Amino acid sequence: MSWVKVLGGLLGAAALLGLGVILGHFAIPKGANLPVSSDSVSRDLDPEILEAVMGQLDASRIRENLRELSRKPHLASSPRDEELVQLLLQRWRDPESGLDSAEASTYEVLLSFPSQGQPNRVTIVNSTGNVLFSCRQTEANLTGEQEGPDVVPPYAAYAPPGTPQGLLVYANRGSEDDFKELEARGIQLNGTIALTRYGGVGRGAKAVNAAKHQVAGVLVYTDPADINDGRSLPNETFPHSWHLPPSGVERGSYYEYFGDPLTPYLPANPSSFRLDPATASGFPPIPIQPIGFEDAKVLLCNLQGPSAPAAWQGALGCDYKLGPGFQPDGAYKGSQVNMSIHNRLELRNSSNVLGIIRGAVEPDRYVLYGNHRDSWVHGAVDPSSGTAVLLELSRVLGTLLKKGTWRPRRSVVFASWGAEEFGLIGSTEFTEEFFSKLQERTVAYINVDISVFANATLRAQGTPPVQSVIFSAAKQIPAPGPGGLSIYDNWIRYFNRSSSVYGLVPSLGTLGAGSDYAPFVHFLGVSSMDIAYTYDRSKTSARIYPTYHTAFDTFDYVDKFVDPGFSSHQAVAQTAGNVLLRLSDSLFLPLNVSDYSETLRSFLQAAQQDLGALLEQHNISLGPLVAAVEKFEGAAVALGQRISALQKGTFDPLQVRMLNDQLMLLERTFLNPRAFPEERYYSHVLWAPRTGPVATFPGLANACSTAMNTGPGSDAWAEVQRQLSIVVAALEGAAATLRPVADL
Amino acid sequence: MSWVKVLGGLLGAAALLGLGVILGHFAIPKGANLPVSSDSVSRDLDPEILEAVMGQLDASRIRENLRELSRKPHLASSPRDEELVQLLLQRWRDPESGLDSAEASTYEVLLSFPSQGQPNRVTIVNSTGNVLFSCRQTEANLTGEQEGPDVVPPYAAYAPPGTPQGLLVYANRGSEDDFKELEARGIQLNGTIALTRYGGVGRGAKAVNAAKHQVAGVLVYTDPADINDGRSLPNETFPHSWHLPPSGVERGSYYEYFGDPLTPYLPANPSSFRLDPATASGFPPIPIQPIGFEDAKVLLCNLQGPSAPAAWQGALGCDYKLGPGFQPDGAYKGSQVNMSIHNRLELRNSSNVLGIIRGAVEPDRYVLYGNHRDSWVHGAVDPSSGTAVLLELSRVLGTLLKKGTWRPRRSVVFASWGAEEFGLIGSTEFTEEFFSKLQERTVAYINVDISVFANATLRAQGTPPVQSVIFSAAKQIPAPGPGGLSIYDNWIRYFNRSSSVYGLVPSLGTLGAGSDYAPFVHFLGVSSMDIAYTYDRSKTSARIYPTYHTAFDTFDYVDKFVDPGFSSHQAVAQTAGNVLLRLSDSLFLPLNVSDYSETLRSFLQAAQQDLGALLEQHNISLGPLVAAVEKFEGAAVALGQRISALQKGTFDPLQVRMLNDQLMLLERTFLNPRAFPEERYYSHVLWAPRTGPVATFPGLANACSTAMNTGPGSDAWAEVQRQLSIVVAALEGAAATLRPVADL
């Protein structure tokens, strides 16, 4: 037999074998109707895609985005705000770099504006009614951008109209304690106008506290000591530095809750039931108006009366007195301060813009990424620094999408929220409209509002399950500036804590209600995070970047002083984009639920130290809470072991889906809509507002602080026990959710 | 070349080809880590298994189960109740016919019992205090089963203790209108004892209504006209027929809500916060006691005063008078009725028993099947007829499981609930303890409480998505008795309606709060159903089977009169078992969500007809509700088309899972925990209690009936608008959940 025949036979045999292999692989589906491409269901995060996205996020494009976004003031519901809606739609519908779909959804919401015909005025008037001094009604036009019809004058949104007049007093930060201190010092508050500093307590709280002491009106200013590290001279401030100019005024919402004030728990559609604005709650009870420190200096440095406590002194270059009234030997002797406030409530249309990339494998799992669009004036930092990053990230992902290079495993939803500055309104209405499907399907919410406060370090806040994915991203990305550190290694130098599990790690902050993540974490129970670049606290004590909510928050301010070169913007885009891709593409969701164990343990220890003795006196045992925390810890450890085992062995896509559902839904198990009936939208029993300073279970801590001044058997002590049972039940339910799914 | 060589070559080629096929099929996984057995993920309902289960459900075994279950009284928390817990555990842990696991879970709940030392007494006493007549304290011992320490005497659970005495009046069914009618007729109610009939309104409502009219105490009896089709003589009643003997008394709970009265919204664990029983709400305000018609006859037929209205007359063989007081010419002239009630509230341990079959493919999807275990006395019908079916169904499935013949695709959870008779306590505490995981994972809840009221026809109640699966099951099973009809064809003869979609179909009833399905549908928002066999309404007008909640509800009663041969029990076991298997094993969930469209459309038409004019007068438009219903209908139709397309084409298991999640979670989207703050546990905006007779949106209808007597601008009219917005938002949210998952 010749070698040719043998070769031919072998080749033939090989061909037959190969044909069989092909037939077997492709012609025989695994199980009825299983698609040939069933390998897609086990698709995992692609490191090359991650690398590509990190590389394509471009600082100069972010800079150009910011230039365009902050070119004009874009107050919520203003014409320019509407123009930006169109800009977002056009970008997200771009055939080369757009998303699968983009829509604007519009709500009819209650906003508050100063009157155009009757500007708000703050004046010093003498006994005969002559005006001796008037505070500026607008900020100084230092860069040509502080004037014009679309620059809203400084005002306190939702503050009621009114024309109170009275002697001036100085009330520090307007806290409950500040007003008590004044009364303790015998200062007559009845009918006065109280001058307060920003900081310490929320905006609206200053008016609420003042009204309790019969104060007639409140003024608020930003002290150079709190914002400018003491600097206050024109040549020391913007446009000469990043500091706040003397005429700069922080605008803001003074509404106590969030969401549209007239449609709590209902989407603000035109047909929705609305409360009567006259009876709606949460608005300041008395007129309040913000002013610049230039004007505040005239008022404060002419006050008579005893000197204010050392802690109340500021950097206006005079001894702060308490009042009431002005110095008898000064120009304003016997004069009063008059406030003429003419704010008006108006129903306005405000739009969210939503852009979607459909998931290839699990389109019903949503990774949400959002930032608000509306500003007070030009809002270059707030919020456009975040919108500029949002647009660059969506461009890079959209380009890969349109090229056919990439499609995420899960759906990605980009959101540009409306009317955040008035109280997180757009995002809240969105969660109300789609409550069920969002609660069932949302993997996580990523918020990037102000992306760059300053260019020193990353600052991240979130619920425990997102810590690990932020760490993974931060380790993979170089920090801006010299030193060649990763964002993670740079971050840990500025914010760190000693973890009982990991040792020294960057400290993840907790989420309050300062931006659009609030309805997601508190109302929906979705694992959420907020990502930004921020200050070197050793270099400034400014409570926030100096031009916050002023007409000086402009493109040049960012370009010259906040982030020249935009490398910090790029770093935030890379970090948030990296987190987003890990959440959208990883086969196993990168939510480390066991990181809740450390939080719960620390809450428990704080409760034992801070409340244990008090509770014992009232025969309330923390034993069930200890047991519940231990049960959670045990369930989390066991789940972690099952995950590792599954990852090592073979698994089918449903097993991964079931596991991921456990991870995704854990945060939901901490929701109890009946836990805090007084706290609108707050249902998360671990992150609801806490009145005390100690980081522990909020319902229990708040109930204790109310009860401690009541007798045994009071309703307040019953509420303590109810709150204890509520958190125990939540932890037991969470542990049950982490157990093997066929166990109860 | 010889033919042998050719053959050999062909054989070799075939072998190589075959080897290749095998290699290709088994050696090359489809996608990384995909298991070789990935065909299991597309497993569907197996008709042979269904057939086998239907064939193995055995009437005689159900009969033997019932004999054992009803051998002794098993009142909640009694020793025999505990024995039955052990019986269930032993059955469900049986190595040949048990489940994967079975556990008892115990709660500490507030129950109510008569005092053993001081039996409740109802007597006629004359002016000198002599007792002229005493009602029986126990039922007549007709079969030897009506006496003994474990037969709880007739009483009204949760009725307060007290010893009211006064003139007797007859108040028909104790409705609000009945008492108004008495006052209209000038009957003095202040301080009287009101004799009422069962029926018309709930048990507790009779005392609530009476107390509003200063009645001091209430008696309740069952009129032969309402239960025995008029028959009342001993030889016409049990043990000679299925009718209620003269001494028979319906026991029951008079608690207004459901769940443990002291731990609303919290699981009743030992450590849970408990309300003070003195301040807990929902208990009858005045003493109330049930009596037999034998004693009621003595009281009622001796009353003086005007004749009661014709509609108030019954079958006691005398003219019912209204009172107050007894006839002046009779034996009881001038006498009063005295009630000495000594019921006590007690914290008791009550257990649920839970048995689980782990799902092979989707263990995190639960099909729940439940029935309560506790009875008032022997409870042969209520609940043991259901428990006997439960045990037979679990035996048949458990046997297939242990043999390795079958394992469901999804997990099956069998539940034997405790303390249902006191107010659905065991099931409610279960839903409170596992709220999150049950809400996330429960496919449906099947309730079989009383399995056989009578042997004429199937009777099913449920939310619309379960209609189709019950129909499918009922068509597959032969009805008991001659005629060879299917259960479906027999059912349609007794209960039917004309469907706008299907034409004439059996009518599925709606779910109130009469059994353990209540917390599942109203609190969890789980698609639920209740299945039983029942009466031929043309043959009896009995409001329920005659020995309901009496000591005559015994094994012999069932064996002789209710279902001789137990073929109706078997039919219920087959129907419920068939439904369970379709829900647990079908690849595509057999929940037809589009059947909600017909319900919503009928609710809408009823609202337009019944409320439209009234709302128009107050400038409230139903337009948004019309639009929302249409949006839902459109989304449901489109989803149906996507399902068909998917079933025809190829799909991967995740696509089916995502679709099934949409079907499973639809019912959840109708929940709004803030819709009805006054209605404990009722969150389902479509099935909350309705005060009016018209089947429509309950929140809207109830708000309208409250508002219609108030002026424009009242809070009540604002609530009408709020309720309208709530239901519109729920329907919009439901439609959003049915849309393609990558749309918003």
Side-chain angles (χ1 to χ4, degrees):
Chain A
M1 218 159 127
S2 85
W3 64 269
V4 176
K5 280 191 186 165
V6 174
L7 182 58
L10 287 177
L11 285 174
L16 283 166
L17 179 62
L19 172 63
V21 170
I22 290 156
L23 282 173
H25 187 58
F26 292 107
I28 305 177
K30 309 254 180 205
N33 289 353
L34 267 189
V36 174
S37 71
S38 76
D39 59 329
S40 73
V41 298
S42 57
R43 267 183 33 181
D44 205 344
L45 177 67
D46 179 345
E48 291 179 8
I49 291 291
L50 197 57
E51 208 42 59
V53 171
M54 295 300 101
Q56 287 164 30
L57 291 166
D58 178 349
S60 64
R61 286 178 181 268
I62 296 173
R63 182 172 184 272
E64 286 317 305
N65 288 340
L66 184 65
R67 187 201 297 279
E68 176 59 23
L69 291 166
S70 60
R71 193 157 53 80
K72 294 185 194 167
H74 44 105
L75 184 65
S77 80
S78 68
R80 178 59 178 172
D81 183 30
E82 275 311 301
E83 281 175 31
L84 293 186
V85 167
Q86 297 311 314
L87 180 149
L88 277 143
L89 286 173
Q90 171 238 315
R91 295 280 190 100
W92 287 350
R93 290 171 174 172
D94 184 283
E96 267 75 49
S97 60
L99 314 175
D100 287 321
S101 67
E103 296 297 335
S105 87
T106 304
Y107 299 102
E108 196 175 312
V109 301
L110 188 76
L111 304 184
S112 162
F113 302 98
S115 161
Q116 301 216 336
Q118 292 177 284
N120 294 342
R121 296 190 65 200
V122 176
T123 55
I124 299 177
V125 293
N126 65 14
S127 48
T128 59
N130 296 337
V131 172
L132 307 183
F133 172 80
S134 294
C135 293
R136 331 179 40 107
Q137 289 170 13
T138 61
E139 292 151 311
N141 191 7
L142 303 178
T143 69
E145 296 162 295
Q146 289 74 41
E147 257 176 27
D150 47 4
V151 176
V152 73
Y155 75 111
Y158 300 107
T163 56
Q165 178 172 319
L167 294 176
L168 187 70
V169 297
Y170 170 55
N172 193 29
R173 296 194 156 82
S175 72
E176 188 62 58
D177 288 348
D178 292 334
F179 286 104
K180 287 206 181 107
E181 176 70 21
L182 287 172
E183 295 214 315
R185 291 171 178 245
I187 307 293
Q188 272 296 337
L189 295 175
N190 195 333
T192 58
I193 304 296
L195 177 60
T196 62
R197 290 156 70 152
Y198 269 121
V201 300
R203 296 187 190 97
K206 297 174 195 289
V208 170
N209 297 334
K212 287 187 194 142
H213 297 266
Q214 290 72 50
V215 170
V218 176
L219 300 174
V220 198
Y221 80 102
T222 305
D223 195 284
D226 299 327
I227 202 78
N228 279 357
D229 295 312
R231 291 179 193 72
S232 59
L233 302 178
N235 64 3
E236 299 174 312
T237 57
F238 184 72
H240 309 290
S241 82
W242 88 317
H243 290 304
L244 177 66
S247 68
V249 184
E250 175 182 327
R251 297 153 183 79
S253 173
Y254 285 65
Y255 178 55
E256 191 183 339
Y257 308 124
F258 54 88
D260 171 43
L262 299 188
T263 59
Y265 299 117
L266 290 168
N269 299 320
S271 77
S272 288
F273 166 65
R274 283 178 166 70
L275 300 171
D276 175 353
T279 60
S281 58
F283 303 136
I286 54 177
I288 180 164
Q289 174 71 18
I291 60 175
F293 65 77
E294 171 185 6
D295 291 326
K297 180 173 184 173
V298 174
L299 299 175
L300 193 42
C301 293
N302 284 288
L303 273 179
Q304 68 174 348
S307 286
W312 294 25
Q313 297 295 330
L316 291 177
C318 64
D319 177 41
Y320 293 14
K321 303 243 179 342
L322 298 177
F326 295 108
Q327 294 156 11
D329 53 357
Y332 306 130
K333 90 182 243 285
S335 299
Q336 300 189 326
V337 170
N338 177 284
M339 298 174 63
S340 299
I341 307 304
H342 307 287
N343 300 335
R344 288 193 318 222
L345 296 171
E346 293 180 33
L347 272 187
R348 292 283 191 93
N349 285 333
S350 173
S351 301
N352 295 331
V353 187
L354 298 158
I356 299 175
I357 303 177
R358 196 180 63 258
V361 182
E362 296 180 272
D364 69 338
R365 289 296 176 257
Y366 307 149
V367 177
L368 266 59
Y369 179 113
N371 161 231
H372 68 97
R373 183 185 59 256
D374 64 303
S375 60
W376 283 111
V377 190
H378 301 80
V381 175
D382 181 6
S384 305
S385 65
T387 315
V389 164
L390 169 65
L391 285 173
E392 175 59 2
L393 180 56
S394 59
R395 179 195 68 83
V396 169
L397 295 179
T399 304
L400 291 171
L401 180 74
K402 295 297 186 182
K403 279 200 192 127
T405 316
W406 167 82
R407 178 173 289 285
R409 176 182 179 88
R410 304 179 180 88
S411 293
V412 173
V413 180
F414 288 107
S416 169
W417 308 121
E420 186 266 1
E421 293 295 1
F422 288 81
L424 322 181
I425 291 178
S427 53
T428 301
E429 298 309 305
F430 175 76
T431 59
E432 290 171 330
E433 180 167 12
F434 297 106
F435 185 86
S436 286
K437 74 190 288 179
L438 291 175
Q439 197 170 52
E440 291 155 1
R441 302 174 184 173
T442 307
V443 166
Y445 175 67
I446 304 166
N447 195 69
V448 179
D449 182 343
I450 295 170
S451 65
V452 179
F453 291 86
N455 50 25
T457 174
L458 187 74
R459 186 233 61 202
Q461 306 165 327
T463 58
V466 307
Q467 173 180 269
S468 57
V469 65
I470 295 175
F471 283 3
S472 303
K475 286 174 179 169
Q476 210 176 19
I477 303 159
L485 292 177
S486 70
I487 283 185
Y488 180 95
D489 293 329
N490 181 64
W491 183 15
I492 205 170
R493 292 167 52 217
Y494 291 91
F495 300 101
N496 57 63
R497 68 182 179 94
S498 169
S499 158
S500 58
V501 181
Y502 305 105
L504 194 73
V505 291
S507 59
L508 187 75
T510 59
L511 295 168
S515 187
D516 294 299
Y517 49 74
F520 289 93
V521 63
H522 297 300
F523 184 46
L524 281 182
V526 166
S527 294
S528 303
M529 71 200 83
D530 185 76
I531 295 173
Y533 235 68
T534 192
Y535 320 96
D536 178 348
R537 276 287 166 214
S538 70
K539 296 218 171 66
T540 176
S541 68
R543 42 178 286 271
I544 189 163
Y545 71 94
T547 64
Y548 173 70
H549 288 194
T550 72
F552 304 107
D553 179 357
T554 59
F555 176 76
D556 286 347
Y557 182 76
V558 175
D559 199 37
K560 289 207 183 79
F561 302 112
V562 177
D563 187 26
F566 284 76
S567 56
S568 296
H569 282 78
Q570 183 181 36
V572 170
Q574 290 173 321
T575 307
N578 194 298
V579 167
L580 181 145
L581 278 169
R582 290 170 179 274
L583 287 165
S584 66
D585 282 15
S586 298
L587 178 58
F588 288 82
L589 275 181
L591 293 173
N592 187 353
V593 297
S594 68
D595 283 338
Y596 246 122
S597 296
E598 191 177 354
T599 306
L600 294 175
R601 177 58 61 174
S602 72
F603 277 21
L604 176 62
Q605 285 163 347
Q608 287 167 319
Q609 287 161 26
D610 203 54
L611 310 170
L614 176 70
L615 292 169
E616 223 164 80
Q617 289 165 27
H618 290 79
N619 305 313
I620 299 172
S621 166
L622 285 173
L625 187 54
V626 173
V629 169
E630 282 165 359
K631 196 182 280 188
F632 181 92
E633 290 168 334
V637 168
L639 177 64
Q641 289 160 349
R642 289 201 304 283
I643 295 175
S644 315
L646 192 58
Q647 287 170 326
K648 288 196 196 76
T650 69
F651 48 80
D652 69 47
L654 279 177
Q655 288 175 286
V656 185
R657 167 88 171 194
M658 290 186 276
L659 174 68
N660 286 340
D661 280 357
Q662 287 181 276
L663 304 179
M664 174 180 76
L665 293 169
L666 173 70
E667 201 82 59
R668 296 322 172 264
T669 65
F670 295 117
L671 284 195
N672 182 338
R674 296 171 181 89
F676 316 109
E678 305 308 313
E679 297 279 2
R680 190 177 295 174
Y681 297 117
Y682 287 101
S683 298
H684 199 301
V685 303
L686 299 177
W687 304 117
R690 226 186 327 102
T691 52
V694 181
T696 184
F697 305 101
L700 180 63
N702 298 348
C704 281
S705 68
T706 307
M708 61 194 300
N709 308 318
T710 71
S714 69
D715 291 354
W717 278 110
E719 178 63 8
V720 170
Q721 292 180 295
R722 192 182 80 96
Q723 288 295 340
L724 182 58
S725 289
I726 282 171
V727 67
V728 166
L731 299 189
E732 301 256 6
T737 294
L738 297 186
R739 284 202 292 271
V741 292
D743 298 359
L744 271 177
Chain B
M1 234 158 101
S2 87
W3 63 270
V4 174
K5 278 196 187 156
V6 175
L7 182 59
L10 288 177
L11 284 175
L16 283 167
L17 179 64
L19 173 63
V21 170
I22 290 156
L23 283 172
H25 187 58
F26 292 107
I28 305 178
K30 309 249 183 211
N33 288 354
L34 269 186
V36 174
S37 72
S38 75
D39 60 327
S40 73
V41 298
S42 57
R43 267 183 34 179
D44 204 346
L45 177 68
D46 178 347
E48 290 180 7
I49 291 290
L50 196 57
E51 207 42 59
V53 171
M54 295 300 100
Q56 287 164 31
L57 292 166
D58 178 349
S60 64
R61 286 178 182 268
I62 297 173
R63 182 173 184 273
E64 287 317 305
N65 288 342
L66 185 65
R67 188 202 297 279
E68 175 59 22
L69 290 165
S70 61
R71 192 157 56 77
K72 294 185 192 167
H74 43 106
L75 184 65
S77 79
S78 67
R80 178 60 178 172
D81 183 31
E82 275 311 302
E83 281 176 31
L84 293 186
V85 167
Q86 297 310 315
L87 180 147
L88 276 142
L89 286 173
Q90 170 238 316
R91 294 281 189 100
W92 286 351
R93 291 171 174 171
D94 184 283
E96 267 75 48
S97 60
L99 314 176
D100 287 322
S101 68
E103 297 297 335
S105 88
T106 304
Y107 299 102
E108 196 175 312
V109 302
L110 188 76
L111 305 184
S112 162
F113 302 99
S115 160
Q116 300 218 336
Q118 292 176 285
N120 294 344
R121 295 190 65 201
V122 176
T123 56
I124 299 176
V125 294
N126 66 13
S127 47
T128 60
N130 296 337
V131 172
L132 306 183
F133 173 79
S134 293
C135 292
R136 321 180 50 100
Q137 289 169 12
T138 62
E139 293 151 309
N141 190 7
L142 302 179
T143 68
E145 296 161 295
Q146 288 75 40
E147 257 177 27
D150 48 4
V151 175
V152 71
Y155 75 113
Y158 299 107
T163 58
Q165 178 172 319
L167 295 175
L168 187 71
V169 296
Y170 171 55
N172 193 31
R173 295 194 159 81
S175 72
E176 189 59 58
D177 288 349
D178 292 334
F179 286 103
K180 287 205 182 109
E181 176 71 21
L182 287 173
E183 294 214 315
R185 291 167 178 248
I187 308 293
Q188 271 297 337
L189 295 175
N190 195 334
T192 59
I193 304 295
L195 177 61
T196 62
R197 290 157 71 153
Y198 269 123
V201 300
R203 296 187 189 99
K206 297 174 196 290
V208 171
N209 297 334
K212 287 186 195 144
H213 297 265
Q214 290 73 48
V215 170
V218 176
L219 300 173
V220 197
Y221 80 103
T222 306
D223 196 285
D226 300 327
I227 200 80
N228 280 355
D229 296 311
R231 294 181 190 71
S232 60
L233 302 177
N235 65 3
E236 301 175 309
T237 57
F238 185 73
H240 309 289
S241 83
W242 88 318
H243 291 303
L244 177 67
S247 68
V249 183
E250 176 182 327
R251 295 153 183 79
S253 173
Y254 285 64
Y255 178 54
E256 192 184 335
Y257 308 124
F258 54 89
D260 170 43
L262 299 188
T263 59
Y265 299 118
L266 290 168
N269 298 320
S271 77
S272 288
F273 165 65
R274 284 177 164 71
L275 299 171
D276 173 355
T279 60
S281 58
F283 302 137
I286 55 176
I288 180 164
Q289 174 71 19
I291 61 176
F293 65 75
E294 171 185 9
D295 291 327
K297 180 173 186 174
V298 174
L299 299 175
L300 194 43
C301 293
N302 283 289
L303 274 180
Q304 66 175 349
S307 287
W312 294 25
Q313 297 295 328
L316 290 177
C318 65
D319 177 41
Y320 293 13
K321 302 243 177 347
L322 298 177
F326 295 109
Q327 292 156 14
D329 54 355
Y332 306 131
K333 103 181 231 290
S335 299
Q336 299 188 325
V337 169
N338 177 285
M339 300 173 62
S340 299
I341 307 304
H342 307 287
N343 301 334
R344 288 193 316 222
L345 296 171
E346 292 180 34
L347 272 186
R348 292 283 192 93
N349 286 334
S350 174
S351 300
N352 296 331
V353 187
L354 298 160
I356 299 175
I357 304 178
R358 194 181 64 258
V361 183
E362 296 180 274
D364 69 338
R365 289 296 175 256
Y366 307 148
V367 178
L368 266 61
Y369 179 113
N371 160 232
H372 68 98
R373 182 185 61 256
D374 63 304
S375 61
W376 283 110
V377 191
H378 301 79
V381 175
D382 182 7
S384 305
S385 66
T387 316
V389 165
L390 169 65
L391 284 173
E392 175 60 1
L393 180 56
S394 60
R395 178 195 68 85
V396 169
L397 296 179
T399 305
L400 291 170
L401 180 75
K402 295 297 186 183
K403 277 198 191 130
T405 316
W406 167 82
R407 177 173 291 285
R409 177 183 179 87
R410 304 179 181 89
S411 293
V412 173
V413 180
F414 288 107
S416 169
W417 307 120
E420 187 268 0
E421 293 295 1
F422 288 80
L424 323 181
I425 292 178
S427 54
T428 302
E429 298 309 306
F430 175 76
T431 59
E432 289 171 330
E433 180 167 14
F434 298 106
F435 185 87
S436 285
K437 73 191 288 180
L438 291 174
Q439 198 170 52
E440 290 156 2
R441 301 174 184 172
T442 306
V443 166
Y445 175 67
I446 304 166
N447 195 69
V448 179
D449 182 344
I450 295 169
S451 66
V452 180
F453 292 85
N455 50 26
T457 175
L458 187 73
R459 186 234 61 201
Q461 305 165 326
T463 58
V466 307
Q467 173 180 272
S468 57
V469 65
I470 296 174
F471 282 3
S472 304
K475 286 173 178 170
Q476 209 177 21
I477 303 160
L485 292 178
S486 71
I487 284 185
Y488 181 94
D489 292 331
N490 181 64
W491 182 16
I492 205 170
R493 291 167 54 221
Y494 291 92
F495 301 100
N496 58 62
R497 68 182 179 94
S498 171
S499 156
S500 58
V501 181
Y502 305 106
L504 193 74
V505 290
S507 58
L508 186 76
T510 58
L511 295 169
S515 187
D516 293 299
Y517 48 74
F520 289 92
V521 62
H522 297 300
F523 183 47
L524 280 182
V526 166
S527 295
S528 303
M529 71 199 85
D530 186 75
I531 294 172
Y533 236 67
T534 193
Y535 321 96
D536 178 349
R537 277 282 165 218
S538 71
K539 296 218 170 68
T540 176
S541 68
R543 43 180 283 273
I544 191 163
Y545 72 94
T547 64
Y548 173 70
H549 288 194
T550 73
F552 303 107
D553 179 356
T554 59
F555 176 77
D556 286 347
Y557 182 76
V558 175
D559 198 37
K560 288 208 184 76
F561 302 113
V562 176
D563 187 26
F566 284 74
S567 56
S568 297
H569 283 77
Q570 183 181 34
V572 170
Q574 290 173 320
T575 307
N578 195 296
V579 167
L580 180 144
L581 278 169
R582 289 169 180 275
L583 287 164
S584 65
D585 282 14
S586 298
L587 178 59
F588 287 81
L589 275 181
L591 294 172
N592 187 353
V593 296
S594 68
D595 283 337
Y596 246 121
S597 296
E598 191 176 356
T599 306
L600 295 175
R601 178 58 61 174
S602 72
F603 276 20
L604 176 62
Q605 285 164 347
Q608 288 168 319
Q609 288 163 26
D610 204 53
L611 311 170
L614 177 70
L615 291 169
E616 224 164 81
Q617 289 165 28
H618 290 78
N619 306 313
I620 298 172
S621 165
L622 285 173
L625 186 54
V626 174
V629 169
E630 283 165 359
K631 196 181 280 188
F632 181 92
E633 290 169 335
V637 168
L639 176 65
Q641 290 160 348
R642 289 200 305 282
I643 296 174
S644 316
L646 193 58
Q647 286 170 327
K648 288 199 195 77
T650 70
F651 48 80
D652 69 48
L654 278 178
Q655 287 174 288
V656 184
R657 166 88 171 196
M658 289 186 276
L659 174 68
N660 285 341
D661 280 357
Q662 287 181 276
L663 304 178
M664 173 180 78
L665 294 169
L666 174 70
E667 200 82 59
R668 293 328 169 263
T669 65
F670 295 117
L671 283 196
N672 182 337
R674 296 170 180 91
F676 316 110
E678 305 308 311
E679 299 278 3
R680 189 177 296 175
Y681 297 117
Y682 287 101
S683 299
H684 198 303
V685 303
L686 299 176
W687 304 117
R690 227 186 326 102
T691 52
V694 182
T696 184
F697 305 102
L700 181 63
N702 297 348
C704 282
S705 67
T706 307
M708 61 193 302
N709 308 318
T710 71
S714 68
D715 290 353
W717 278 110
E719 178 63 10
V720 170
Q721 292 181 293
R722 192 183 78 97
Q723 287 295 340
L724 183 58
S725 290
I726 282 171
V727 67
V728 166
L731 299 189
E732 301 257 4
T737 294
L738 298 185
R739 283 203 291 273
V741 293
D743 298 358
L744 273 175

